[in-house]
Amino acid sequence: MVHQYKNNGYNIVLDVNSGAIHIVDDLVYDVIPLFETCTREEIISRLGQNYPEDEIIEGYEEVKTLVEQQQLFTEDEYENYMEQFKERPTVVKALCLHIAHDCNLACRYCFAQEGEYHGRKALMSYEAGKAALDFLIAESGNRRNLEVDFFGGEPLLNFEVVKKLVAYGREQEKLHNKNFRFTLTTNGVLLNDEIMEFANREMANVVLSIDGRKEVNDRMRPFRKGAGSYDLIVPKFQKFAESRNQEKYYVRGTFTHNNLDFSEDVLHLADLGFQQISVEPVVAKPTESYALQEEDLPKLFEEYDKLAVEMIKRWKENRGFHFFHFMIDLEGGPCVAKRLSGCGSGTEYLAVTPWGDLYPCHQFVGNEEFLMGNVTEGIKSKELQKEFKHCNVYAKEKCRNCFAKFYCSGGCAANSWNFHGSITDSYDIGCELQKKRIECAIMIKAALAEETEGTC
Amino acid sequence: MPEESNGVGRSPDGLPEEPNGVGRSPDGFCHETEEQKGRISMKHVKTLNTKRLQNTVKRGGCGECQTSCQSACKTSCTVGNQSCENK
């Protein structure tokens, strides 16, 4: 499968099965769609009006060389691998610990219903958290790197337990030859010097929630009484990011139908000095006023294009920043096994409620249909586990002919469930945005490669 | 055929390459030289990467890499931008 597109003056050709990416001129861009179905002579005849014959032959030969080098029109060798893949032994390697089902903000788009996940307010006890870490160690097989995200609600509402659990994890990792990578997702309201110092010592990554411009952030991320959170959190986040040497963190925002010009929010965060930025599309019921609609897509595509061009400009001026969804590792990216299995929800990644129940991921928490077990008794619903284990890009009809399938790995199971009642479907607006982001990410690589041409 | 340098050997921020010739930008991305990649010089085509995903099937998945939702997303699935821990 080959995907070709034009963006920002670049003709880009992606060979989906190998992952090879080529930047081509107009001639080769026109030869490629004809290559598999036409003879050389037919191609010369069809393109003869636009290009000289000797050039067409030259371009044709270069395409042929790419095919011979297995960098174009490569076969899908993975589907046969699927049967073996589906029977892989699974281990648990990552937990999303819902350390607090409560929040000090009342974000309007919160999938956790202001932290309570359609249930009751609760804080995780140290005992329940300890049992979760013990469960993770016991279920992790020979995986050494174990990830634990302190999530909520707002995890800093239960910071004392976070501290104790980190101490327990550090003690246990030595005994079991494991390496805990703790992360923290916070709205910043309770952030202080002590917490920053602790996080800088113990947290492999921190995710700091902020939506961008003051009016955008405050509209969707108010306190319970209605006041905005921007003025309180920005100085703290700036200090925190600096104290982490501008790495191993993300400021993370959500854009909605209310701020379709979201590139301005990303750039606002960059102008505040943040260098690690993630701003994502909201996922909401179509009936919500802030939900993204299909008719928003052209504007959103335009915004991603605009952002990509501005990012290139800033990199060239040595004031670049990273945008999570434009990051793409072309040479050292994930292996096929990872790309087929996706996020690992329900198998290697699980969410734990404050009272120790297990769900496939944080987005399923509160939906009793997806209750998988608990941290003391382990996974009880083997059927559910199997269903998630078998969920991969080949199990999804919509993904089969999609060029993005090895980048998004079939997309988010929770989004698929929320929109179609099945984890093997996909959230269509999300897919369109994902494809656009991949196109932009590759274009940025092309532009930056060109920028340094001849200098290395 | 002579090797071509189309210059992805430097990090986007212009940092010099590491001593072994493999440049690594602050985002952890790898930027090998053209020579290291065995790239073929072409007039109409510049290849950005020569990775063959198929080769990673043989290695299987060690599973040590980061879970995507633990990095920053939480509401979308973004696997392609994760880095391999076993390069």
Side-chain angles (χ1 to χ4, degrees), chain A residues 316-345:
Chain A
K316 288 179 180 176
E317 294 167 356
N318 283 324
R319 54 190 190 107
F321 63 90
H322 294 117
F323 180 62
F324 181 72
H325 278 125
F326 283 170
M327 288 168 73
I328 193 162
D329 191 343
L330 297 182
E331 292 291 349
C335 61
V336 164
K338 170 83 169 179
R339 289 174 194 260
L340 292 174
S341 56
C343 69
S345 61

mmCIF file of all heavy atoms in Angstrom, chain A residues 316-345:
data_model
loop_
_atom_site.group_PDB
_atom_site.id
_atom_site.type_symbol
_atom_site.label_atom_id
_atom_site.label_comp_id
_atom_site.label_asym_id
_atom_site.label_seq_id
_atom_site.Cartn_x
_atom_site.Cartn_y
_atom_site.Cartn_z
ATOM 1 N N LYS A 316 13.868 26.476 12.709
ATOM 2 C CA LYS A 316 14.940 27.093 11.925
ATOM 3 C C LYS A 316 15.519 28.317 12.638
ATOM 4 O O LYS A 316 16.657 28.684 12.428
ATOM 5 C CB LYS A 316 14.415 27.485 10.537
ATOM 6 C CG LYS A 316 14.166 26.272 9.638
ATOM 7 C CD LYS A 316 13.622 26.697 8.293
ATOM 8 C CE LYS A 316 13.386 25.476 7.406
ATOM 9 N NZ LYS A 316 12.767 25.831 6.122
ATOM 10 N N GLU A 317 14.708 28.950 13.454
ATOM 11 C CA GLU A 317 15.169 30.120 14.213
ATOM 12 C C GLU A 317 15.721 29.728 15.592
ATOM 13 O O GLU A 317 15.906 30.590 16.457
ATOM 14 C CB GLU A 317 13.997 31.096 14.407
ATOM 15 C CG GLU A 317 13.504 31.714 13.094
ATOM 16 C CD GLU A 317 12.159 32.436 13.226
ATOM 17 O OE1 GLU A 317 11.550 32.403 14.328
ATOM 18 O OE2 GLU A 317 11.710 32.995 12.214
ATOM 19 N N ASN A 318 15.931 28.428 15.770
ATOM 20 C CA ASN A 318 16.442 27.908 17.050
ATOM 21 C C ASN A 318 15.543 28.231 18.239
ATOM 22 O O ASN A 318 16.015 28.471 19.348
ATOM 23 C CB ASN A 318 17.853 28.444 17.334
ATOM 24 C CG ASN A 318 18.884 27.714 16.517
ATOM 25 O OD1 ASN A 318 18.743 26.509 16.295
ATOM 26 N ND2 ASN A 318 19.857 28.427 16.028
ATOM 27 N N ARG A 319 14.246 28.284 18.002
ATOM 28 C CA ARG A 319 13.317 28.434 19.134
ATOM 29 C C ARG A 319 12.182 27.427 18.973
ATOM 30 O O ARG A 319 11.019 27.697 19.218
ATOM 31 C CB ARG A 319 12.810 29.880 19.253
ATOM 32 C CG ARG A 319 12.187 30.436 18.005
ATOM 33 C CD ARG A 319 11.926 31.931 18.120
ATOM 34 N NE ARG A 319 11.120 32.374 16.983
ATOM 35 C CZ ARG A 319 9.842 32.705 17.056
ATOM 36 N NH1 ARG A 319 9.206 32.659 18.201
ATOM 37 N NH2 ARG A 319 9.185 33.094 15.977
ATOM 38 N N GLY A 320 12.597 26.241 18.540
ATOM 39 C CA GLY A 320 11.611 25.176 18.290
ATOM 40 C C GLY A 320 11.024 24.615 19.566
ATOM 41 O O GLY A 320 11.554 24.804 20.662
ATOM 42 N N PHE A 321 9.907 23.941 19.414
ATOM 43 C CA PHE A 321 9.297 23.219 20.531
ATOM 44 C C PHE A 321 8.702 21.926 19.996
ATOM 45 O O PHE A 321 8.527 21.769 18.782
ATOM 46 C CB PHE A 321 8.217 24.085 21.215
ATOM 47 C CG PHE A 321 7.052 24.423 20.312
ATOM 48 C CD1 PHE A 321 5.927 23.610 20.237
ATOM 49 C CD2 PHE A 321 7.086 25.565 19.511
ATOM 50 C CE1 PHE A 321 4.864 23.917 19.403
ATOM 51 C CE2 PHE A 321 6.025 25.882 18.676
ATOM 52 C CZ PHE A 321 4.908 25.053 18.616
ATOM 53 N N HIS A 322 8.432 21.008 20.888
ATOM 54 C CA HIS A 322 7.865 19.727 20.472
ATOM 55 C C HIS A 322 6.357 19.726 20.648
ATOM 56 O O HIS A 322 5.853 20.170 21.679
ATOM 57 C CB HIS A 322 8.468 18.587 21.296
ATOM 58 C CG HIS A 322 9.928 18.404 21.045
ATOM 59 N ND1 HIS A 322 10.874 18.570 22.016
ATOM 60 C CD2 HIS A 322 10.599 18.103 19.915
ATOM 61 C CE1 HIS A 322 12.074 18.365 21.496
ATOM 62 N NE2 HIS A 322 11.929 18.088 20.229
ATOM 63 N N PHE A 323 5.692 19.236 19.652
ATOM 64 C CA PHE A 323 4.238 19.066 19.723
ATOM 65 C C PHE A 323 3.996 17.557 19.675
ATOM 66 O O PHE A 323 4.329 16.897 18.688
ATOM 67 C CB PHE A 323 3.573 19.788 18.543
ATOM 68 C CG PHE A 323 2.071 19.665 18.516
ATOM 69 C CD1 PHE A 323 1.298 20.167 19.552
ATOM 70 C CD2 PHE A 323 1.423 19.045 17.457
ATOM 71 C CE1 PHE A 323 -0.088 20.055 19.538
ATOM 72 C CE2 PHE A 323 0.043 18.935 17.431
ATOM 73 C CZ PHE A 323 -0.707 19.441 18.473
ATOM 74 N N PHE A 324 3.450 17.036 20.748
ATOM 75 C CA PHE A 324 3.356 15.583 20.922
ATOM 76 C C PHE A 324 2.824 14.853 19.686
ATOM 77 O O PHE A 324 3.350 13.835 19.254
ATOM 78 C CB PHE A 324 2.461 15.291 22.137
ATOM 79 C CG PHE A 324 2.295 13.821 22.440
ATOM 80 C CD1 PHE A 324 3.334 13.090 22.980
ATOM 81 C CD2 PHE A 324 1.096 13.185 22.190
ATOM 82 C CE1 PHE A 324 3.182 11.741 23.264
ATOM 83 C CE2 PHE A 324 0.935 11.834 22.471
ATOM 84 C CZ PHE A 324 1.979 11.113 23.008
ATOM 85 N N HIS A 325 1.776 15.397 19.090
ATOM 86 C CA HIS A 325 1.150 14.678 17.980
ATOM 87 C C HIS A 325 1.870 14.845 16.649
ATOM 88 O O HIS A 325 1.497 14.231 15.663
ATOM 89 C CB HIS A 325 -0.316 15.098 17.850
ATOM 90 C CG HIS A 325 -1.182 14.353 18.812
ATOM 91 N ND1 HIS A 325 -2.007 14.975 19.708
ATOM 92 C CD2 HIS A 325 -1.345 13.038 19.032
ATOM 93 C CE1 HIS A 325 -2.634 14.072 20.416
ATOM 94 N NE2 HIS A 325 -2.249 12.894 20.035
ATOM 95 N N PHE A 326 2.890 15.693 16.628
ATOM 96 C CA PHE A 326 3.724 15.779 15.421
ATOM 97 C C PHE A 326 5.048 15.044 15.610
ATOM 98 O O PHE A 326 5.915 15.097 14.758
ATOM 99 C CB PHE A 326 4.022 17.242 15.065
ATOM 100 C CG PHE A 326 2.876 17.972 14.411
ATOM 101 C CD1 PHE A 326 2.939 19.348 14.228
ATOM 102 C CD2 PHE A 326 1.741 17.304 13.966
ATOM 103 C CE1 PHE A 326 1.897 20.047 13.627
ATOM 104 C CE2 PHE A 326 0.691 17.987 13.371
ATOM 105 C CZ PHE A 326 0.768 19.363 13.194
ATOM 106 N N MET A 327 5.212 14.411 16.744
ATOM 107 C CA MET A 327 6.457 13.678 16.958
ATOM 108 C C MET A 327 6.333 12.341 16.262
ATOM 109 O O MET A 327 5.324 11.648 16.389
ATOM 110 C CB MET A 327 6.706 13.490 18.453
ATOM 111 C CG MET A 327 7.096 14.781 19.131
ATOM 112 S SD MET A 327 7.054 14.649 20.900
ATOM 113 C CE MET A 327 8.488 13.642 21.195
ATOM 114 N N ILE A 328 7.346 12.020 15.515
ATOM 115 C CA ILE A 328 7.308 10.755 14.798
ATOM 116 C C ILE A 328 8.747 10.276 14.683
ATOM 117 O O ILE A 328 9.634 11.040 14.345
ATOM 118 C CB ILE A 328 6.612 10.936 13.432
ATOM 119 C CG1 ILE A 328 6.264 9.619 12.792
ATOM 120 C CG2 ILE A 328 7.409 11.809 12.480
ATOM 121 C CD1 ILE A 328 5.226 9.732 11.696
ATOM 122 N N ASP A 329 8.951 9.050 15.044
ATOM 123 C CA ASP A 329 10.299 8.507 15.053
ATOM 124 C C ASP A 329 10.449 7.629 13.823
ATOM 125 O O ASP A 329 10.028 6.475 13.818
ATOM 126 C CB ASP A 329 10.491 7.706 16.353
ATOM 127 C CG ASP A 329 11.939 7.331 16.563
ATOM 128 O OD1 ASP A 329 12.721 7.395 15.590
ATOM 129 O OD2 ASP A 329 12.289 6.968 17.696
ATOM 130 N N LEU A 330 11.038 8.193 12.776
ATOM 131 C CA LEU A 330 11.068 7.460 11.500
ATOM 132 C C LEU A 330 12.075 6.320 11.491
ATOM 133 O O LEU A 330 11.906 5.348 10.775
ATOM 134 C CB LEU A 330 11.371 8.430 10.351
ATOM 135 C CG LEU A 330 10.336 9.526 10.119
ATOM 136 C CD1 LEU A 330 10.724 10.383 8.922
ATOM 137 C CD2 LEU A 330 8.952 8.946 9.926
ATOM 138 N N GLU A 331 13.116 6.447 12.263
ATOM 139 C CA GLU A 331 14.147 5.393 12.236
ATOM 140 C C GLU A 331 14.080 4.469 13.446
ATOM 141 O O GLU A 331 14.306 3.280 13.332
ATOM 142 C CB GLU A 331 15.544 6.026 12.160
ATOM 143 C CG GLU A 331 15.833 6.736 10.846
ATOM 144 C CD GLU A 331 15.966 5.774 9.671
ATOM 145 O OE1 GLU A 331 16.048 4.552 9.884
ATOM 146 O OE2 GLU A 331 15.977 6.262 8.526
ATOM 147 N N GLY A 332 13.793 5.024 14.591
ATOM 148 C CA GLY A 332 13.831 4.188 15.792
ATOM 149 C C GLY A 332 12.461 4.011 16.413
ATOM 150 O O GLY A 332 12.322 3.856 17.618
ATOM 151 N N GLY A 333 11.429 4.058 15.609
ATOM 152 C CA GLY A 333 10.062 3.955 16.121
ATOM 153 C C GLY A 333 9.721 2.553 16.582
ATOM 154 O O GLY A 333 10.565 1.652 16.590
ATOM 155 N N PRO A 334 8.491 2.356 16.957
ATOM 156 C CA PRO A 334 8.090 1.067 17.517
ATOM 157 C C PRO A 334 8.193 -0.083 16.518
ATOM 158 O O PRO A 334 8.073 0.118 15.312
ATOM 159 C CB PRO A 334 6.617 1.287 17.887
ATOM 160 C CG PRO A 334 6.366 2.725 17.758
ATOM 161 C CD PRO A 334 7.393 3.310 16.870
ATOM 162 N N CYS A 335 8.386 -1.277 17.062
ATOM 163 C CA CYS A 335 8.428 -2.479 16.219
ATOM 164 C C CYS A 335 7.002 -2.837 15.791
ATOM 165 O O CYS A 335 6.023 -2.280 16.291
ATOM 166 C CB CYS A 335 9.043 -3.636 16.996
ATOM 167 S SG CYS A 335 8.110 -4.072 18.478
ATOM 168 N N VAL A 336 6.919 -3.814 14.890
ATOM 169 C CA VAL A 336 5.609 -4.208 14.376
ATOM 170 C C VAL A 336 4.701 -4.738 15.496
ATOM 171 O O VAL A 336 3.507 -4.440 15.530
ATOM 172 C CB VAL A 336 5.775 -5.261 13.257
ATOM 173 C CG1 VAL A 336 4.460 -5.968 12.968
ATOM 174 C CG2 VAL A 336 6.282 -4.579 12.005
ATOM 175 N N ALA A 337 5.286 -5.490 16.420
ATOM 176 C CA ALA A 337 4.468 -6.048 17.508
ATOM 177 C C ALA A 337 3.754 -4.931 18.259
ATOM 178 O O ALA A 337 2.563 -5.018 18.571
ATOM 179 C CB ALA A 337 5.349 -6.849 18.460
ATOM 180 N N LYS A 338 4.460 -3.850 18.499
ATOM 181 C CA LYS A 338 3.864 -2.713 19.206
ATOM 182 C C LYS A 338 2.810 -2.038 18.325
ATOM 183 O O LYS A 338 1.727 -1.672 18.787
ATOM 184 C CB LYS A 338 4.983 -1.721 19.553
ATOM 185 C CG LYS A 338 4.519 -0.383 20.082
ATOM 186 C CD LYS A 338 4.221 -0.436 21.543
ATOM 187 C CE LYS A 338 4.027 0.957 22.118
ATOM 188 N NZ LYS A 338 3.713 0.909 23.522
ATOM 189 N N ARG A 339 3.137 -1.884 17.052
ATOM 190 C CA ARG A 339 2.213 -1.200 16.154
ATOM 191 C C ARG A 339 0.931 -2.002 15.943
ATOM 192 O O ARG A 339 -0.119 -1.443 15.670
ATOM 193 C CB ARG A 339 2.890 -0.933 14.806
ATOM 194 C CG ARG A 339 3.963 0.134 14.888
ATOM 195 C CD ARG A 339 4.700 0.260 13.573
ATOM 196 N NE ARG A 339 5.925 1.016 13.708
ATOM 197 C CZ ARG A 339 6.066 2.299 13.370
ATOM 198 N NH1 ARG A 339 5.055 2.967 12.865
ATOM 199 N NH2 ARG A 339 7.221 2.903 13.521
ATOM 200 N N LEU A 340 1.038 -3.311 16.052
ATOM 201 C CA LEU A 340 -0.165 -4.131 15.900
ATOM 202 C C LEU A 340 -1.007 -4.137 17.160
ATOM 203 O O LEU A 340 -2.233 -4.194 17.108
ATOM 204 C CB LEU A 340 0.220 -5.575 15.540
ATOM 205 C CG LEU A 340 0.844 -5.777 14.162
ATOM 206 C CD1 LEU A 340 1.294 -7.221 14.007
ATOM 207 C CD2 LEU A 340 -0.136 -5.425 13.058
ATOM 208 N N SER A 341 -0.339 -4.088 18.301
ATOM 209 C CA SER A 341 -1.091 -4.243 19.544
ATOM 210 C C SER A 341 -1.642 -2.926 20.069
ATOM 211 O O SER A 341 -2.534 -2.903 20.895
ATOM 212 C CB SER A 341 -0.224 -4.900 20.610
ATOM 213 O OG SER A 341 0.946 -4.158 20.802
ATOM 214 N N GLY A 342 -1.106 -1.814 19.584
ATOM 215 C CA GLY A 342 -1.656 -0.511 19.971
ATOM 216 C C GLY A 342 -1.356 -0.139 21.399
ATOM 217 O O GLY A 342 -0.292 -0.440 21.932
ATOM 218 N N CYS A 343 -2.329 0.491 22.040
ATOM 219 C CA CYS A 343 -2.067 1.073 23.357
ATOM 220 C C CYS A 343 -1.967 0.017 24.455
ATOM 221 O O CYS A 343 -1.503 0.310 25.541
ATOM 222 C CB CYS A 343 -3.144 2.087 23.703
ATOM 223 S SG CYS A 343 -4.754 1.347 24.004
ATOM 224 N N GLY A 344 -2.428 -1.186 24.172
ATOM 225 C CA GLY A 344 -2.314 -2.255 25.172
ATOM 226 C C GLY A 344 -3.419 -2.245 26.209
ATOM 227 O O GLY A 344 -3.361 -2.975 27.211
ATOM 228 N N SER A 345 -4.459 -1.435 25.984
ATOM 229 C CA SER A 345 -5.532 -1.377 26.981
ATOM 230 C C SER A 345 -6.176 -2.757 27.145
ATOM 231 O O SER A 345 -6.338 -3.498 26.191
ATOM 232 C CB SER A 345 -6.597 -0.346 26.571
ATOM 233 O OG SER A 345 -7.185 -0.706 25.343
#
